[in-house]
Amino acid sequence: MNVRVLLFGPYADAAGADALTLAFPERDEVTAGEVLAAIRTEYPPMSGMLSAAILAVNERRARPEQPVRESDECVIIGLVGGG
Amino acid sequence: MSVRVEIVPRPLDAAAPDTRADAGAVVQFEGVVRPIEDGRPLLALEYEAYRPMADNMLRELARQVLEEHGLTAITVEHSTGTVHVGERSFRLVVASPHRAQALSAMASFIDRMKQDVPIWKRPVFAVVEEGST
């Protein structure tokens, strides 16, 4: 399965893209924690800024153990700074 | 009790909405883009919001702060897009029976918004030519 993760703000700047696609071969389901871990491994420029990051899945904050499926909309939140 | 939240794709108007709502205290905060950021001259801030999650989280936070602080009304406005120096990007207006509730609600809302709500800003710095200063 592939998981697409939307990026905003400093995450998009670090990745040089507004979305990432992560491949999880031979999996039908992964966890939010696995998605963040895969980003750390595959996109080293982002690894330093992921300590405060949380994955939002379908517009809700996801706990690390929460399942993620291919059709889910994922976004990295954290390091926000409105106002 | 009144909760109003709006994200608009432009700088905020100078005139704030009327938020008296049977209150003895009305406190208003406006975030204005300052001219200097980290010692460098700034042109603007560019705001991005992940919507509708940002709208929903602002609305939920506004409801929580209204209840926790005994407010009678809370109004939140936030910009997205480019907001130039001197323009308003954020406005919070709270109304309560007494001033202490309104003042404490202000800090509580802003601290939690900056920590949790998926809104990001990027600085756009002025280009300073070498030898021009």
Side-chain angles (χ1 to χ4, degrees):
Chain A
M1 64 178 279
N2 292 327
V3 174
R4 190 160 183 266
V5 180
L6 304 180
L7 304 175
F8 293 88
Y11 301 111
D13 291 341
D18 56 12
L20 307 174
T21 300
L22 302 161
F24 295 91
E26 299 178 21
R27 299 281 299 274
D28 297 325
E29 186 178 289
V30 294
T31 66
E34 286 178 304
V35 172
L36 289 175
I39 296 171
R40 282 190 193 92
T41 302
E42 296 182 29
Y43 297 89
M46 297 184 67
S47 60
M49 59 193 347
L50 291 176
S51 59
I54 296 169
L55 199 69
V57 178
N58 298 330
E59 299 181 13
R60 293 190 176 276
R61 290 164 157 258
R63 293 184 308 278
E65 67 275 18
Q66 181 170 324
V68 176
R69 296 176 185 84
E70 191 164 73
S71 58
D72 290 336
E73 181 170 290
C74 299
V75 178
I76 301 177
I77 59 174
L79 289 182
V80 295
Chain B
M1 291 186 290
S2 160
V3 173
R4 180 173 164 263
V5 172
E6 189 173 17
I7 296 177
V8 298
R10 58 185 176 274
L12 301 183
D13 296 334
D18 189 0
T19 313
R20 278 173 286 187
D22 300 328
V26 178
V27 178
Q28 175 176 315
F29 171 86
E30 290 185 339
V32 178
V33 177
R34 58 179 164 263
I36 302 289
E37 181 78 13
D38 296 331
R40 298 170 62 188
L42 195 67
L43 287 178
L45 291 174
E46 290 181 350
Y47 288 90
E48 281 182 291
Y50 175 47
R51 306 181 72 177
M53 186 177 182
D55 306 67
N56 295 335
M57 289 185 73
L58 282 177
R59 197 168 293 111
E60 178 60 26
L61 177 57
R63 286 196 191 103
Q64 288 174 4
V65 169
L66 181 131
E67 286 185 13
E68 290 168 9
H69 294 268
L71 305 179
T72 56
I74 181 167
T75 297
V76 183
E77 297 171 279
H78 205 304
S79 296
T80 57
T82 301
V83 182
H84 289 94
V85 167
E87 293 180 324
R88 297 159 179 80
S89 60
F90 172 68
R91 182 183 289 123
L92 174 63
V93 186
V94 300
S96 63
H98 303 283
R99 71 178 184 280
Q101 298 155 309
L103 291 170
S104 62
M106 274 278 155
S108 176
F109 184 95
I110 295 169
D111 289 347
R112 288 152 70 177
M113 177 185 74
K114 284 180 171 287
Q115 185 177 330
D116 292 333
V117 177
I119 298 175
W120 296 267
K121 60 186 172 191
R122 281 191 182 92
V124 180
F125 291 105
V127 176
V128 178
E129 291 180 20
E130 212 169 305
S132 66
T133 54

